[in-house]
Amino acid sequence: MKMKRVIAAVVFLVLAVGLYVGIPRVLTGNHVLVRFTNSISLDARIYETRRLPEENYDYLAVGSSMTMNNLNSDVLLNYLGPLGEKFYNFSVWGVTVEDIENWTEVLLEKYKPKGIIMFSSMEDFDGEEKDYDYKDISRYIRGYPESMFYLHYGVFGDLHYYDEYAELQGYKNDYDSLDFDANGGVALEVYGIERSMNRWEKQFAEEYQQDGPSYESLYQMAAKLKQKGIDFYFVQVPSRPNYMADEGAKEVLEQHMERCRDIVESSGQYYYSAVDYEQYSDQYFSDYTHMDVHGATMLTQEFLENVFIPSREQ
């Protein structure tokens, strides 16, 4: 009798989870994300990573929206494709370098790339590390049964979370777009009146965590990848000229760039600054530091010609 009750309870739980997961799919036409984190961008990326074919990638891109939006997949693949090499962008908006380091460790449990590319701005170094269970995330993307995670992380979230995921998949003319291309990137198409004036006119913040833990995370990433024989490419992206016009802004950025250069190059890895206030004028930006598809195309071509191709020819 006791065993029957246990079996009945298990069956009830499975059915409850099935209904909870199934109903939002019917209502929204979208997959119900496991809510591993408080970031819909990271949860969406975790789900999309799980869905990828079981194959390796020669190059991975990791980072924040600086990598997701400012690295153009087509430009990179125009070079890699004819060589028979594959690339995927695993970036997540709204994360710090500490989060990127943790997420990269998860990806390296599944993939064995030749190199990792990270486009970055100083904003990536400002903020606190998120406390997520990356061991569970690793199990999930490697194919453990999804029902295990629905049960563990609870099945009583709100439908708004899933509606938002479906909405953000639907378009590119939004800064929070999750409309991943075939290689994981998102080319922003935010122009003119579609721009947020708050973001377009954002003022430079003088105070960043110049001694914060993100610099240590950058060092750990560069050094660990070197030990594994994996090339690491760190690219400082440009910012809108007016954003950097405040007194002292360029000096603060120069200090940051010099520190990142020392960290990356002391580990035997590749650092590149694409900061050029004349080359990247307002027409290439969607806000203060996110580039539109045209700016991203231009920036990626610059990276390819000045760093990526020369490094492979050494």
Side-chain angles (χ1 to χ4, degrees), residues 196-209:
S196 160
M197 286 300 100
N198 287 336
R199 298 177 70 127
W200 185 249
E201 297 173 358
K202 182 178 173 68
Q203 298 297 302
F204 181 82
E206 291 188 13
E207 294 185 8
Y208 285 94
Q209 298 179 21

Side-chain angles (χ1 to χ4, degrees), residues 169-183:
Q169 283 183 298
Y171 44 72
K172 291 180 180 175
N173 59 342
D174 186 278
Y175 297 104
D176 294 337
S177 174
L178 295 176
D179 184 17
F180 303 130
D181 62 31
N183 298 284

Side-chain angles (χ1 to χ4, degrees), residues 183-243:
N183 298 284
V186 176
L188 282 185
E189 297 178 5
V190 181
Y191 315 106
I193 61 172
E194 294 176 336
R195 296 184 181 119
S196 160
M197 286 300 100
N198 287 336
R199 298 177 70 127
W200 185 249
E201 297 173 358
K202 182 178 173 68
Q203 298 297 302
F204 181 82
E206 291 188 13
E207 294 185 8
Y208 285 94
Q209 298 179 21
Q210 296 293 318
D211 295 313
S214 285
Y215 292 100
E216 176 62 25
S217 287
L218 178 60
Y219 171 75
Q220 293 294 335
M221 277 187 66
K224 288 178 182 177
L225 291 173
K226 187 66 175 180
Q227 290 174 358
K228 295 176 182 289
I230 299 172
D231 290 330
F232 179 51
Y233 300 89
F234 181 94
V235 178
Q236 173 69 41
V237 303
S239 297
R240 181 173 173 250
N242 282 0
Y243 176 62

Side-chain angles (χ1 to χ4, degrees), residues 70-123:
N70 294 347
L71 176 61
N72 186 281
S73 300
D74 291 340
V75 172
L76 198 56
L77 284 169
N78 282 341
Y79 170 71
L80 292 175
L83 302 175
E85 295 182 314
K86 298 178 180 178
F87 157 80
Y88 201 85
N89 192 329
F90 291 94
S91 302
V92 179
W93 49 249
V95 292
T96 65
V97 179
E98 298 101 300
D99 303 319
I100 296 165
E101 179 193 8
N102 292 330
W103 176 229
T104 301
E105 289 291 325
V106 170
L107 292 172
L108 292 180
E109 292 179 14
K110 184 174 182 179
Y111 302 109
K112 308 299 178 187
K114 298 176 183 177
I116 286 183
I117 303 165
M118 179 177 170
F119 281 21
S120 179
S121 70
M122 191 156 55
E123 287 76 10

Side-chain angles (χ1 to χ4, degrees), residues 24-38:
R25 287 183 183 179
V26 172
L27 295 177
T28 68
N30 193 51
H31 185 81
V32 177
L33 300 176
V34 178
R35 200 162 191 169
F36 288 102
T37 75
N38 61 5

